[in-house]
C-alpha cells in the first residue's frame, strides 16, 4: 500500500528475554482501583466502582528515557501502576478465563496533568487532555507471564529523587488483574497488543523538571524516568 503521507511508526515495547518487540494497539487505563487513592482524590470507593479511560498508543515512552515537561500544566503528577500486556483476543471473558489472555506484565507511570484532569472532572468533560497527552505513558520492558506467573500480590512503589512517594501491595487492587480483564472485555473486544494500566495506589503528587522518578513492582523491571 502506498500512502499519501509517511505512515505513523508502530509504537513498541521491548520484551525481556526476547529480541522481538511488542507492538502496542491500545492503552487502556483503570481509574480509582485502590481505595486509598480514590479517597485521596475525594471519592468514596465503597460507592463508586473503578472505571476505564484510554491513552493513545504513541504516548508510550521507553524505560530510561527522559520525558519533556508537558505544556499547559503546572501540576504534573506521577502514578505508578502494574501494566498487563494482552496476548490473545477475547470478549465477555469470565474471571476464570481472563488469565489465559495475558502475555506478560510491565511497570508503567500514568503521567497526569492533574490541573487539567480535575478541571475536566468538575465540568463533566472528557479526561483526554489531562491523561492522554504526548509522552504520558512511560513503561518498562514486558516480562512474559511464563517468567512472572499471574501477579496477584507484591510491593508496588515509587520514589522521586530517592524519596518514597507511593507504596502499596498489588493485593490492595479493588479489581484484581483477572477482574480488570473480565470487566474491560464486556466493553471492548480485547486484542493482542493491548496494554492495561491497572490503576495507581495512594501517594500521587507533583514532579518538576529535573526530577528523577523510579518505580517498580516486585518481580518486574524498575521504571526510571527523568523529567526534562
Ligand atoms: Mn492512573
Amino acid at each position: 500500500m502506498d500512502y499519501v503521507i509517511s505512515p505513523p511508526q508502530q509504537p513498541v515495547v521491548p520484551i525481556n528475554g526476547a529480541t522481538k518487540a511488542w507492538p502496542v494497539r491500545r492503552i487502556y487505563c483503570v481509574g480509582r482501583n485502590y481505595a486509598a487513592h480514590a479517597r485521596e482524590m475525594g471519592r468514596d470507593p465503597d460507592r463508586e466502582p473503578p472505571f476505564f479511560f484510554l491513552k493513545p498508543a504513541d504516548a508510550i515512552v521507553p524505560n530510561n528515557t527522559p520525558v519533556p515537561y508537558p505544556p499547559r500544566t503546572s501540576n504534573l503528577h506521577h502514578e505508578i501502576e502494574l501494566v498487563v500486556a494482552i496476548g490473545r483476543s477475547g470478549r465477555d471473558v469470565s474471571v476464570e478465563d481472563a488469565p489465559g489472555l495475558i502475555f506478560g506484565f510491565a511497570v508503567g507511570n500514568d503521567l497526569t496533568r492533574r490541573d487539567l484532569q480535575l478541571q475536566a472532572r468538575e465540568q463533566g468533560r472528557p479526561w483526554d487532555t489531562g491523561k492522554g497527552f504526548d509522552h504520558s505513558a512511560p513503561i518498562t520492558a514486558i516480562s512474559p507471564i511464563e517468567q512472572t506467573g499471574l501477579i496477584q500480590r507484591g510491593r508496588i512503589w515509587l520514589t522521586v529523587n530517592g524519596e518514597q512517594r507511593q507504596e502499596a501491595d498489588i493485593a490492595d487492587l479493588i479489581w484484581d488483574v483477572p477482574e480488570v480483564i473480565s470487566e474491560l472485555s464486556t466493553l471492548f473486544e480485547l486484542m493482542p497488543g493491548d496494554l492495561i494500566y491497572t490503576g495507581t495506589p495512594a501517594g500521587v503528587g507533583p514532579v518538576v523538571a529535573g526530577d528523577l522518578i523510579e518505580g517498580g513492582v516486585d518481580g518486574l523491571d524498575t521504571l526510571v524516568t527523568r523529567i526534562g
Side-chain angles (χ1 to χ4, degrees):
M1 172 72 80
D2 279 341
Y3 297 101
V4 69
I5 57 167
S6 308
Q9 275 194 335
Q10 170 65 55
V12 295
V13 179
I15 296 167
N16 280 322
T19 52
K20 292 180 180 173
W22 177 265
V24 182
R25 189 183 84 113
R26 292 183 184 171
I27 304 175
Y28 294 105
C29 301
V30 187
R32 298 182 208 135
N33 202 13
Y34 291 82
H37 172 62
R39 288 190 196 99
E40 79 179 347
M41 295 303 295
R43 288 296 190 260
D44 180 355
D46 296 326
R47 296 183 53 180
E48 276 186 278
F51 57 93
F52 298 101
F53 60 94
L54 289 95
K55 290 180 187 255
D58 67 355
I60 284 291
V61 178
N63 203 356
N64 299 297
T65 304
V67 165
Y69 195 91
R72 299 287 293 271
T73 185
S74 52
N75 198 16
L76 177 66
H77 274 208
H78 56 77
E79 294 194 357
I80 195 70
E81 310 201 357
L82 172 66
V83 180
V84 181
I86 296 295
R88 288 206 183 87
S89 65
R91 61 159 63 123
D92 295 326
V93 179
S94 68
V95 171
E96 294 69 36
D97 291 341
L101 270 63
I102 301 172
F103 175 85
F105 294 94
V107 175
N109 189 349
D110 169 20
L111 286 172
T112 301
R113 291 193 281 212
R114 191 72 71 199
D115 37 8
L116 298 189
Q117 183 216 1
L118 293 180
Q119 198 179 4
R121 193 176 90 173
E122 279 153 25
Q123 296 174 333
R125 290 179 179 168
W127 280 16
D128 305 57
T129 59
K131 288 288 196 179
F133 54 95
D134 298 339
H135 316 288
S136 61
I139 187 169
T140 63
I142 296 166
S143 294
I145 192 168
E146 292 77 24
Q147 295 171 18
T148 64
L150 176 62
I151 297 182
Q152 297 276 56
R153 58 192 60 77
R155 182 172 174 254
I156 179 170
W157 59 275
L158 179 140
T159 64
V160 177
N161 304 324
E163 179 189 315
Q164 189 84 39
R165 291 276 191 92
Q166 294 185 270
E167 184 169 30
D169 197 285
I170 297 299
D172 300 335
L173 282 167
I174 295 172
W175 286 343
D176 67 14
V177 167
E179 288 168 339
V180 164
I181 293 169
S182 178
E183 280 283 339
L184 186 58
S185 77
T186 67
L187 291 162
F188 303 94
E189 182 173 13
L190 298 179
M191 298 294 285
D194 290 341
L195 298 175
I196 309 172
Y197 281 57
T198 57
T200 199
V204 300
V207 287
V208 297
D211 280 350
L212 182 68
I213 309 172
E214 295 174 277
V217 171
D218 280 352
L220 301 176
D221 290 1
T222 297
L223 180 61
V224 180
T225 308
R226 175 82 66 181
I227 303 297

